[in-house]
């Protein structure tokens, strides 16, 4: 039997000890003597969040299919255990073997959001791995990062030996082969990293150097040793049907965020909303075969025993096999007494029909994401959802018995006016009015409930808005206040509830999203001050961050509210995500004119992603 | 058909709390493709009831849950046990699967007593001569304790709730064994008995981590009311 890394006394003292013991259904045990590479996969947040992430499940399954590799998992110890581990000098351990992470060959960290950066430092620190890659020795694991934030890895570049840019299914085999070869030959860490940096999609940051201009922007960015590429092209799986997918995902003991079977139906998005990073990063759209998905659903339900299944993708309504798949699942799930959790769908006859079949209409709500209050602003952001469509969808839904509506908006979009902001309240009001017009008094179940939520817009790399100014904290708050005021002025204000996000974290997220290597200092400093779990409101300490910026003399405004010139070299420009800078520039200029761009299926916009030779770019073209 | 499942919980699984064990079994039963019956209504749930919740940190050789299966059955008891053991994790083992008579009370209501083995964790042994003192302690006519619940603290006499209490060998080490009331009305935790024992001997507060507790079995009562006749819950059912 395995010996746990933590004593009983500790496990009985911390909240949810199940986070730290491993042993879950479908977790993989191997003999360490029988493998050549030990890989520890990390999601730098608490277990319940990390275990809900599909990407890790895919890679965990893939790596463990290989006989020469044993992949284990680690998550951020929650603050209670964190304190104990520091006090008692207990090294961070992997869940399966319960052995120190430091003994592994690789530590792979998936980086899903900027606010987890201090948790990356926590993981390294508790593992006794030097925080800065330059200080690591042959004794330390190779620390490799992946995930959406690595499309601008620069703020955290100092902490990583390698980054894997793009989808994980393609280059891990060559990378591990290379590692095994180096291990056999006994070559140095540095040599291995340099060779690894020549593989497609692999970025070895310590061999690159930025040169800054006097104004702080980048003059040049290039490799410092010969043989390494000037640009790193993202990796992508073109045939998403014939690739890895975990038939036996790990089933946690405790309730996690995503406590269900997850079927990824497609990758990418045809829409091209100008604020959306995922919509650009994962181009082109590639659909998974519907027959294969049906087979996966049945098998995964059987192997996990989950009582719920959900679909995952961007803009699921655009998946061409959706109707067939959903109808199949409804039948299959009825037989198995399994629930279906639907992704947010475009509201139309089909989606209302399936929603009424799988949800309790009285309790569930409709979701619209207009993202902006006015049509003008929706054109600017290229969100092709019109007021007419929203009102018509709402009307149909109200007739069908729904009375709750959730609306999602953003504040702080480029060129936003007061009018646009008031539009949020006005649109909410109109939807409420539709309810009172559509549903006769005797059929009403009290008021309708409209919940409008706003988040603050943060410009992200590889979007047409990467050049845009971000609002200051004060502007954000003023806008939220204005929204609230205008909601109160509406006729149906009693039916509308308005929620807004916290502004401090949005400012910080903006800095980190478009930051550069000079932010590493700030991260180290703020970590020294004890910051971890910044994504958790109760632990986010904005004052500490502000102090750290000041002490490091790093100017927040340079990264957030500064308007960037069209010719500026961005820290992330050396990465090629498929979409060209030319295309993004075109979209940025079009947005300023309020001109919309049709989606990939209506008319190709020549974004550049067709060079991957597949997906939506070649649909019906054989 | 009502079916009673007996299982063991040991090793790292002792850190999985009662609610999560319930979730674990809901999923395990699906994986094993047991034809469990579901409740009616918009969100049907499996018809399943657990005997007595086991605290986090405790191990057990005698945990029980009852389920209702749709008929005709697709598996006999042995097959069911096998199918479930196929999908268990290390630390949970199905010991027996038996059919209950139609009129049997559910697992939770049937619980009358539980047997525990209590060992001291290394370095936590009490510093008085506990082996010889235990019998004397049990001879007492009353054992008053303060029982603290979320809402109230009340004084209570443990003596009538302790049916057996003695020292025995466990893996070459001395251990305390006890059979105590585990009914929903009068459930006694072994820690409470030990606390009273410590106090009686003038020893300092018992640390939570000091005890290694294993529930050996859970019992129903076939007695007349005046006398007890404790029977392991599995014996209320029959092989099928
Ligand atoms: S090349 Fe055209 S079709 Fe392909 S992703 Fe880009 S815009 Fe869409």
């Amino acid at each position: 039997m395995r010996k746990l890394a933590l004593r009983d006394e500790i496990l009985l003292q911390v909240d949810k000890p199940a986070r730290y013991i491993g042993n879950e259904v479908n977790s993989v045990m191997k003999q360490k003597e029988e493998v050549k590479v030990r890989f520890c996969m990390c999601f730098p947040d608490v277990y319940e969040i990390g275990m809900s992430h599909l990407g890790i499940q895919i890679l965990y399954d893939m790596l463990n299919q290989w006989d020469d590799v044993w992949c284990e998992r680690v998550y951020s110890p929650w603050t209670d255990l964190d304190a104990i581990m520091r006090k008692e000098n207990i090294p961070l351990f992997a869940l399966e073997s319960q052995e120190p992470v430091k003994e592994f060959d690789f530590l792979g960290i998936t980086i899903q959001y900027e606010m987890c950066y201090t948790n990356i430092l926590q993981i390294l620190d508790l593992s006794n791995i030097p925080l800065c890659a330059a200080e690591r020795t042959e004794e330390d694991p190779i620390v490799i990062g992946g995930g959406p934030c690595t499309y601008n890895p620069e703020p955290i570049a100092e902490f990583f030996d390698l980054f894997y840019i793009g989808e994980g299914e393609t280059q891990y085999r060559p990378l591990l082969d290379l590692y095994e070869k180096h291990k056999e030959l006994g070559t140095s860490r540095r040599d291995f990293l340099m060779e690894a940096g020549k593989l497609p999609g692999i970025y070895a940051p310590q061999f690159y150097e930025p040169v800054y201009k006097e104004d702080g922007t980048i003059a040049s960015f290039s490799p410092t040793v010969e043989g390494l590429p000037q640009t790193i092209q993202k990796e992508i799986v073109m045939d998403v049907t014939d690739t890895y997918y975990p038939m036996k995902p790990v089933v946690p003991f405790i309730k996690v965020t995503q406590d269900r079977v997850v079927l990824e139906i497609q990758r990418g998005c045809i829409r091209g909303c100008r604020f959306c990073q995922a919509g650009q990063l994962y181009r082109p759209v590639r659909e998974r075969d519907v027959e294969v998905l049906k087979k996966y659903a049945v098998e995964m339900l059987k192997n996990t025993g989950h009582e719920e299944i959900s679909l995952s993708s961007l803009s699921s309504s655009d998946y061409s096999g959706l109707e067939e798949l959903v109808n199949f699942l409804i039948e299959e799930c009825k037989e198995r007494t399994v629930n279906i959790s639907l992704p947010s769908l475009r509201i139309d006859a089909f989606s209302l029909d399936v929603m009424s079949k799988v949800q309790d209409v009285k309790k569930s709500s409709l979701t619209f994401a207009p993202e902006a209050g006015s049509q003008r602003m929706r054109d600017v952001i290229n969100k092709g959802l019109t007021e007419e469509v929203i009102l018509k969808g709402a009307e149909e839904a109200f007739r069908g018995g729904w009375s709750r509506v959730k609306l999602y908006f953003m504040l702080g979009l480029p060129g936003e006016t007061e009018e646009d902001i008031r539009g949020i309240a006005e649109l909410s009001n109109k939807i409420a009015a539709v309810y009172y017009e559509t549903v006769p008094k005797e059929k009403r179940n009290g008021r309708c409930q409209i919940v409008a939520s706003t988040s603050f817009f943060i410009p992200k790399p590889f979007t047409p808005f990467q050049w845009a100014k971000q609002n200051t904290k004060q502007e954000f708050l003023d806008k939220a206040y204005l929204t609230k005021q205008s909601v109160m002025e509406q006729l149906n204000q009693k039916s509308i509830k308005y929620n807004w996000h916290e502004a401090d974290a949005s400012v910080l997220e903006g800095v980190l999203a478009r930051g550069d290597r000079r932010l590493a200092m700030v991260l180290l400093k703020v970590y020294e001050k004890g910051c971890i779990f910044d994504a958790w409101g109760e632990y986010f300490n904005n004052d500490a961050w502000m102090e750290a910026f000041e002490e490091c003399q790093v100017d927040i405004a340079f990264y957030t509210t500064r308007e960037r010139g069209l010719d500026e070299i961005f820290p992330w420009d050396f990465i090629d995500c498929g979409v060209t800078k030319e295309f993004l520039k075109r979209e940025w200029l079009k947005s300023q004119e309020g001109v919309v761009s049709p989606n990939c299926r209506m008319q190709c916009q020549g974004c550049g992603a067709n060079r991957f030779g597949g997906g939506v770019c070649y649909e019906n073209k054989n | 058909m009502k079916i009673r499942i007996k299982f063991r919980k040991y090793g790292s699984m002792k850190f999985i709390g009662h609610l999560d064990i319930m979730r674990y079994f809901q999923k395990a039963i699906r994986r094993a493709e047991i034809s469990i019956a579901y409740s009616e209504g918009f969100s049907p749930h499996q018809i399943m009831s657990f005997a007595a919740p086991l605290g986090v940190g405790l191990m057990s050789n005698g945990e029980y849950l009852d389920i209702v299966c749709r008929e005709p059955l697709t598996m006999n008891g042995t097959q069911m046990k096998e199918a479930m053991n196929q999908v268990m994790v290390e630390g949970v083992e199905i010991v027996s699967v038996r059919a209950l008579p139609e009129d049997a009370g559910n697992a939770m209501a049937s619980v009358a007593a539980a047997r525990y083995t209590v060992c001291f964790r290394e370095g936590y042994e009490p510093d008085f001569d506990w082996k010889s003192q235990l019998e004397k302690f049990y001879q007492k006519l009353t054992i008053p304790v303060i029982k603290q619940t979320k809402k109230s603290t009340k004084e209570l006499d443990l003596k009538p709730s302790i049916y057996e209490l003695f020292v025995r060998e466990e893996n070459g080490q001395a251990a305390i064994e006890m059979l105590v009331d585990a009914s929903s009305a009068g459930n006694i935790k072994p820690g409470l008995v030990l606390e009273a024992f410590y106090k009686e001997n003038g020893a300092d507060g018992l640390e939570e981590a000091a005890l290694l507790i294993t529930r050996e079995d859970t019992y129903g009562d076939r007695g007349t009311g005046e006398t007890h006749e404790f029977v392991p819950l599995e014996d209320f059912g029959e092989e099928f």
Side-chain angles (χ1 to χ4, degrees):
Chain A
M1 211 155 50
R2 293 176 319 149
K3 190 171 163 348
L4 297 180
L6 299 172
R7 302 193 308 275
D8 282 16
E9 291 96 311
I10 295 176
L11 285 164
L12 289 173
Q13 186 185 335
V14 297
D15 191 28
K16 301 193 187 158
R19 287 166 173 165
Y20 312 111
I21 62 172
N23 193 41
E24 305 96 324
V25 171
N26 297 335
S27 60
V28 178
M29 289 301 290
K30 294 191 182 185
Q31 295 296 329
K32 65 176 172 186
E33 297 77 18
E34 285 167 16
V35 299
K36 290 188 183 150
V37 178
R38 296 186 69 185
F39 198 109
C40 189
M41 192 64 83
C42 169
F43 191 112
D45 205 324
V46 72
Y47 179 89
E48 293 91 309
I49 303 285
M51 276 302 287
S52 304
H53 186 248
L54 177 63
I56 285 202
Q57 292 265 16
I58 294 176
L59 294 181
Y60 181 80
D61 176 74
M62 174 185 86
L63 293 168
N64 279 321
Q65 278 184 30
W66 300 335
D67 287 337
D68 57 334
V69 183
W70 184 11
C71 177
E72 307 183 34
R73 294 158 299 142
V74 69
Y75 304 97
S76 293
W78 190 241
T79 50
D80 54 355
L81 180 60
D82 177 273
I84 295 172
M85 292 175 82
R86 284 171 202 272
K87 195 166 135 237
E88 300 201 15
N89 260 319
I90 302 171
L92 187 64
F93 53 91
L95 294 184
E96 282 79 357
S97 64
Q98 298 276 313
E99 291 179 353
V101 172
K102 175 126 174 154
E103 290 173 14
F104 281 65
D105 297 288
F106 281 88
L107 170 60
I109 304 181
T110 182
I111 314 163
Q112 297 290 318
Y113 31 86
E114 291 82 3
M115 300 306 279
C116 74
Y117 288 176
T118 53
N119 278 53
I120 296 174
L121 299 180
Q122 176 211 23
I123 295 279
L124 294 170
D125 198 8
L126 291 178
S127 303
N128 292 326
I129 299 171
L131 302 184
C132 293
E135 288 158 28
R136 290 179 200 143
T137 68
E138 309 293 330
E139 304 303 306
D140 295 301
I142 305 291
V143 181
I144 179 167
C149 288
T150 62
Y151 285 89
N152 177 19
E154 292 305 278
I156 43 174
E158 271 197 34
F159 313 131
F160 283 85
D161 297 301
L162 298 172
F163 286 103
Y164 184 124
I165 313 292
E167 294 171 347
E169 289 95 336
T170 52
Q171 287 301 326
Y172 268 115
R173 193 61 261 183
L175 179 67
L176 298 188
D177 286 341
L178 183 72
Y179 179 80
E180 286 176 14
K181 203 178 92 196
H182 275 256
K183 210 168 154 183
E184 261 163 46
L185 296 174
T187 42
S188 72
R189 181 181 184 95
R190 189 184 151 84
D191 284 344
F192 165 69
L193 294 177
M194 218 169 345
E195 285 307 306
K198 294 176 186 164
L199 290 172
I202 305 292
Y203 166 47
Q206 54 185 279
F207 306 116
Y208 290 75
E209 216 171 68
V211 177
Y212 298 101
K213 294 186 196 162
E214 216 157 285
D215 66 2
T217 60
I218 293 174
S220 67
F221 183 90
S222 14
T224 52
V225 293
E226 224 152 283
L228 289 176
Q230 181 69 37
T231 51
I232 314 282
Q233 203 182 84
K234 85 163 174 199
E235 277 300 297
I236 181 168
V237 182
M238 287 319 293
D239 184 347
V240 291
T241 298
D242 184 20
T243 181
Y244 299 93
Y245 204 74
M247 287 304 105
K248 289 181 152 197
V250 178
V251 183
F253 293 117
I254 51 175
K255 209 164 166 44
V256 299
T257 316
Q258 196 60 269
D259 185 30
R260 49 185 74 88
V261 166
V262 179
L263 273 186
E264 186 193 42
I265 58 179
Q266 62 183 355
R267 286 194 187 158
C269 178
I270 59 170
R271 297 273 149 187
C273 298
R274 291 178 180 132
F275 56 84
C276 176
Q277 189 187 35
Q280 305 294 345
L281 293 184
Y282 307 130
R283 283 183 172 216
V285 165
R286 292 142 292 149
E287 298 194 336
R288 203 162 255 149
D289 182 75
V290 69
E291 293 306 322
V292 170
L293 286 172
K294 290 180 190 170
K295 222 179 75 208
Y296 285 2
V298 172
E299 200 169 328
M300 290 171 78
L301 284 171
K302 159 107 179 72
N303 290 339
T304 58
H306 279 313
E307 39 281 290
E308 190 161 280
I309 185 165
S310 75
L311 307 181
S312 154
S313 80
L314 301 164
S315 192
S316 305
S317 291
D318 293 327
Y319 175 62
S320 59
L322 187 73
E323 223 170 300
E324 184 177 345
L325 181 62
V326 170
N327 287 330
F328 169 84
L329 289 179
I330 288 179
E331 275 311 302
E332 187 68 29
C333 291
K334 208 161 123 196
E335 211 148 286
R336 293 170 176 266
T337 341
V338 165
N339 299 322
I340 305 176
S341 135
L342 289 172
S344 65
L345 297 173
R346 188 163 52 235
I347 302 298
D348 56 19
F350 163 71
S351 61
L352 290 175
D353 179 52
V354 298
M355 280 161 66
S356 69
K357 280 182 191 150
V358 306
Q359 303 168 347
D360 186 345
V361 171
K362 279 202 202 74
K363 287 192 195 132
S364 62
S365 49
L366 299 178
T367 305
F368 293 100
E371 308 292 1
S374 70
Q375 192 55 49
R376 185 195 80 81
M377 201 68 224
R378 285 193 291 273
D379 290 346
V380 168
I381 63 177
N382 203 38
K383 179 88 198 182
L385 186 60
T386 63
E387 182 169 304
E388 198 194 332
V389 169
I390 296 171
L391 296 182
K392 224 179 123 255
E395 186 187 324
E396 265 179 69
F398 292 149
R399 271 188 224 294
W402 277 271
S403 60
R404 298 179 193 204
V405 181
K406 281 191 203 152
L407 298 169
Y408 292 100
F409 298 97
M410 277 183 290
L411 287 173
L413 290 161
E416 190 174 49
T417 64
E418 261 191 54
E419 215 86 323
D420 300 319
I421 296 169
R422 285 185 199 285
I424 293 173
E426 285 156 12
L427 181 61
S428 309
N429 186 58
K430 282 181 197 162
I431 296 174
V434 168
Y435 178 80
Y436 296 112
E437 283 157 25
T438 312
V439 186
K441 258 209 176 82
E442 62 279 9
K443 283 202 175 155
R444 284 180 210 160
N445 193 358
R447 287 203 189 98
C448 72
Q449 289 174 36
I450 315 273
V451 180
S453 307
T454 60
S455 59
F456 295 121
F457 168 64
I458 300 160
K460 292 276 165 106
F462 294 109
T463 66
F465 290 163
Q466 61 179 349
W467 286 274
K469 283 163 100 143
Q470 183 176 331
N471 280 173
T472 61
K473 178 181 165 186
Q474 197 50 48
E475 283 169 320
F476 277 148
L477 294 176
D478 289 347
K479 288 177 176 187
Y481 183 73
L482 177 61
T483 314
K484 192 170 152 92
Q485 280 309 108
S486 16
V487 165
M488 309 251 277
E489 286 160 17
Q490 303 300 318
L491 197 61
N492 294 306
Q493 51 123 330
K494 287 205 171 126
S495 308
I496 307 169
K497 190 168 175 290
Y498 171 55
N499 299 321
W500 68 94
H501 270 227
E502 221 258 317
D504 285 331
S506 301
V507 170
L508 202 57
E509 194 184 322
V511 176
L512 298 173
R514 290 191 292 172
D516 53 37
R517 288 195 177 187
R518 290 169 292 193
L519 293 179
M521 257 184 332
V522 180
L523 285 163
L524 286 170
K525 180 125 286 166
V526 83
Y527 176 71
E528 254 170 50
K529 291 177 187 288
C531 288
I532 45 170
F533 287 103
D534 295 303
W536 296 74
E538 68 263 44
Y539 291 109
F540 176 57
N541 180 350
N542 195 54
D543 294 343
W545 278 92
M546 292 305 120
E547 278 167 30
F549 278 108
E550 204 155 293
E551 287 164 28
C552 299
Q553 296 184 334
V554 170
D555 177 21
I556 292 180
F558 176 81
Y559 296 100
T560 52
T561 53
R562 182 172 62 90
E563 172 117 36
R564 280 132 163 107
L566 276 183
D567 297 322
E568 179 169 335
I569 298 175
F570 294 135
W572 54 90
D573 275 354
F574 72 97
I575 288 175
D576 173 4
C577 79
V579 168
T580 61
K581 200 169 180 184
E582 280 319 304
F583 164 74
L584 295 173
K585 217 177 267 180
R586 254 187 347 257
E587 283 291 297
W588 171 229
L589 297 173
K590 270 170 98 176
S591 85
Q592 289 165 7
E593 257 128 57
V595 179
V596 298
S597 294
N599 70 49
C600 293
R601 287 215 171 92
M602 287 159 72
Q603 188 191 29
C604 169
Q605 299 299 302
C607 75
N610 61 346
R611 89 182 90 143
F612 296 116
V616 66
C617 321
Y618 295 87
E619 259 173 23
N620 310 321
K621 285 184 191 153
N622 284 338
Chain B
M1 185 163 106
K2 284 190 192 170
I3 286 165
R4 178 157 291 170
I5 299 167
K6 177 178 186 179
F7 66 96
R8 289 178 60 218
K9 187 182 173 195
Y10 58 94
S12 60
M13 290 303 286
K14 72 179 175 198
F15 296 107
I16 307 299
H18 181 62
L19 287 177
D20 293 324
I21 283 291
M22 288 167 66
R23 281 166 28 84
Y24 168 81
F25 269 99
Q26 284 159 7
K27 291 181 200 278
I29 278 174
R30 288 169 180 281
R31 289 195 298 274
E33 303 194 310
I34 307 285
S35 57
I36 192 167
Y38 285 84
S39 67
E40 304 289 324
F42 200 89
S43 47
H45 56 264
Q46 299 177 343
I47 301 181
M48 177 186 282
S49 107
F50 279 76
L54 186 71
V56 175
L58 274 65
M59 293 182 283
S60 177
N61 294 318
E63 292 301 288
Y64 293 90
L65 73 147
D66 290 355
I67 61 172
V68 175
C69 281
R70 293 179 307 234
E71 284 173 277
L73 290 181
T74 51
M75 303 178 198
N76 66 27
T78 322
Q79 289 166 329
M80 227 181 247
K81 178 177 147 188
E82 208 133 280
M84 291 192 67
N85 273 328
Q86 288 287 326
V87 300
M88 290 292 119
V89 293
E90 184 182 280
V92 186
E93 183 197 339
I94 307 297
V95 180
S96 75
V97 175
R98 295 196 180 165
L100 287 176
E102 268 320 301
D103 59 355
N106 77 32
M108 178 149 1
S110 312
V111 176
R115 183 179 297 281
Y116 296 94
T117 304
V118 181
C119 300
F120 294 101
R121 200 184 295 278
E122 242 187 85
Y124 284 97
E125 274 203 34
D127 41 23
F128 57 92
D129 182 15
W130 60 276
K131 277 168 252 175
S132 58
Q133 289 301 318
L134 189 75
E135 203 184 327
K136 218 165 94 198
F137 171 70
Y138 190 45
Q139 298 299 325
K140 289 177 41 154
L141 291 179
T142 64
I143 304 178
V145 291
I146 308 285
K147 191 174 175 180
Q148 237 157 359
T149 63
K150 275 193 197 102
K151 281 187 204 122
S152 64
T153 47
K154 60 177 178 187
E155 194 163 322
L156 144 123
D157 180 14
L158 276 187
K159 178 77 193 202
S161 307
I162 307 176
Y163 308 121
E164 293 175 24
L165 184 66
F166 55 91
V167 176
R168 71 165 173 86
E169 288 278 302
E170 165 95 357
N171 301 328
Q173 267 190 347
I176 296 172
E177 182 167 325
M178 63 177 85
L179 179 69
V180 293
D181 190 341
S183 67
S184 55
N187 181 41
I188 298 296
K189 286 186 182 158
L192 194 63
V193 178
L194 266 289
E195 237 173 76
F197 178 45
Y198 268 54
K199 214 161 156 208
E200 177 72 18
N201 287 278
D204 282 340
L206 173 63
E207 275 178 77
E208 207 188 312
L211 307 178
L212 278 167
I213 305 173
T214 307
R215 177 141 75 196
E216 298 296 350
D217 212 338
T218 314
Y219 302 81
D221 192 353
R222 273 193 179 140
T224 55
E226 270 162 38
T227 58
H228 294 298
E229 188 197 339
F230 294 122
V231 179
L233 285 181
E234 67 180 328
D235 291 350
F236 288 80
E238 272 172 20
E239 312 253 343
F240 67 101

